[in-house]
Amino acid sequence: MASNGVNDKSLIVSFGEMLIDFVPTVSGVSLAEAPGFVKAPGGAPANVAIAVARLGGKAAFVGKLGDDEFGNMLAGILKENGVIATGINFDTGARTALAFVTLRADGEREFMFYRNPSADMLLRPEELNLELIRSAKVFHYGSISLIVEPCRSAHLQAMKVAKDAGALLSYDPNLRLPLWPSEEEAREQILSIWDEADVIKVSDNELEFLTGSDKVDDETAMSLWRPNFKLLLVTLGEKGCNYYTKNFHGSVEAFHVDTVDTTGAGDAFVGALLCKIVDDQSVLEDEPRLREILRFANACGAITTTKKGAIPALPTPADALKLVNEGK
């Protein structure tokens, strides 16, 4: 029997960390001065999975949580949001990761992490749900899962299994310097898997960090290009994004909204992009269609900045289309 339910859609699997951000109730103060904190579930790969599901796509999350109240809460949030949770493991000996986030007056963030070690770092290769990973049309990941063993080996194994099964590999390094032993180590490890990806999204700050350049121009971006890439994206916050493919490159401007909190904007952007390319990768070679998709992705990113926290702010298709149409 034919149906067009979520089960018939192509699967996007997101791999990595999910944690709880503790966000101050007041913006523009230091952690020490914050009068109180609100729990906000997060972790870039988990945000991407929920972004995909909220936009009507089929998403699964693969990672490890603590077998504690916070871990159970996070697994519950994934399920409530329609994300397939059969790739989640629980660690009885380690806690779910926490991060205390300072919201500066301009909506940008600073982080203090509690991971010593947290459950996500302890995912072992043999715990991976290989059947789920093999069924991915798109396999998406970051770099935080590369920082320490055994999670690093699990990450590399999952990437290989997905790639061997024919998945499109999507990489958003999502640099969090405080988590790395040093800047050099961060740069080296983030670039160690660079050549494997099909689609990479970096922010302007990450581009500067990875290249050592203080320019966010085409030449700097192209120094990160590899012949096997299908798409390289540089996100520029309120200036939109630049895109690079084998045959063309250009930029798509952003939507202007009242920004409250930039958390999750990049994840919404990635989720929107993956949703739109998972069923038809030929759009990556068709500039007018790709530009339309990137406008939609920019709209999804913009909407996510208008509310505090990532997950509550992630848009529905109707939210995004409304902004796209207003912006025309």
Side-chain angles (χ1 to χ4, degrees):
M1 189 178 86
S3 83
N4 54 4
V6 163
N7 290 336
D8 297 345
K9 297 200 166 164
S10 302
L11 177 65
I12 297 168
V13 171
S14 208
F15 174 90
E17 70 287 347
M18 187 176 195
L19 62 150
I20 296 180
D21 289 338
F22 282 84
V23 185
T25 49
V26 178
S27 293
V29 297
S30 70
L31 286 179
E33 293 159 348
F37 296 89
V38 176
K39 296 196 302 280
N47 292 343
V48 169
I50 293 175
V52 166
R54 195 161 297 170
L55 290 168
K58 184 179 182 183
F61 176 74
V62 173
K64 198 171 200 186
L65 301 168
D67 189 5
D68 51 40
E69 281 207 27
F70 285 153
N72 290 317
M73 175 188 119
L74 292 177
I77 285 165
L78 286 168
K79 289 179 197 152
E80 275 159 37
N81 282 282
V83 174
I84 296 164
T86 53
I88 298 175
N89 288 272
F90 290 92
D91 196 288
T92 50
R95 294 278 185 227
T96 301
L98 308 179
F100 285 81
V101 184
T102 338
L103 278 182
R104 297 203 314 247
D106 62 1
E108 288 296 331
R109 302 151 303 162
E110 288 163 8
F111 297 88
M112 180 168 75
F113 292 94
Y114 282 68
R115 291 157 59 88
N116 54 338
S118 54
D120 58 287
M121 300 157 75
L122 300 176
L123 180 67
R124 299 192 307 276
E126 61 271 21
E127 294 174 314
L128 292 169
N129 181 338
L130 297 181
E131 190 188 348
L132 180 69
I133 293 166
R134 282 192 190 103
S135 59
K137 266 279 180 2
V138 171
F139 184 72
H140 175 76
Y141 47 89
S143 71
I144 289 173
S145 38
L146 294 174
I147 299 175
V148 289
E149 291 291 359
C151 186
R152 178 183 161 77
S153 290
H155 178 138
L156 297 175
Q157 163 89 0
M159 261 174 69
K160 185 181 183 321
V161 166
K163 194 171 184 108
D164 290 350
L168 179 95
L169 297 193
S170 161
Y171 183 21
D172 174 358
N174 204 44
L175 177 67
R176 294 284 178 268
L177 264 181
L179 294 178
W180 290 91
S182 68
E183 287 197 13
E184 295 69 36
E185 174 83 354
R187 198 175 286 111
E188 187 183 318
Q189 294 299 348
I190 286 171
L191 292 172
S192 70
I193 59 167
W194 200 255
D195 301 10
E196 309 289 319
D198 298 297
V199 173
I200 291 189
K201 176 235 135 186
V202 287
S203 68
D204 41 8
N205 299 349
E206 288 162 348
L207 177 66
E208 291 174 336
F209 174 77
L210 291 170
T211 58
S213 165
D214 55 2
K215 291 196 187 72
V216 183
D217 56 10
D218 292 344
E219 195 184 340
T220 308
M222 285 308 289
S223 71
L224 291 177
W225 177 263
R226 301 293 181 269
N228 57 295
F229 284 4
K230 293 189 164 83
L231 177 64
L232 173 65
L233 293 160
V234 180
T235 55
L236 309 165
E238 65 214 23
K239 296 193 184 78
C241 70
N242 295 340
Y243 58 87
Y244 304 87
T245 74
K246 274 188 192 62
N247 302 317
F248 53 79
H249 65 88
S251 59
V252 178
E253 40 185 63
F255 292 87
H256 293 287
V257 293
D258 293 328
T259 294
V260 176
D261 174 9
T262 57
T263 310
D267 304 325
F269 175 92
V270 170
L273 171 75
L274 297 181
C275 254
K276 294 289 187 187
I277 65 176
V278 67
D279 287 315
D280 181 7
Q281 291 175 26
S282 73
V283 297
L284 298 173
E285 291 157 32
D286 181 339
E287 191 168 12
R289 283 162 74 206
L290 180 62
R291 288 182 63 85
E292 208 170 298
I293 287 170
L294 293 174
R295 261 182 75 74
F296 179 78
N298 278 351
C300 289
I303 289 164
T304 307
T305 70
T306 60
K307 284 189 201 163
K308 268 195 181 175
I311 292 168
L314 295 169
T316 63
D319 297 333
L321 290 170
K322 184 167 179 279
L323 185 56
V324 167
N325 293 329
E326 280 169 9
K328 281 205 166 138

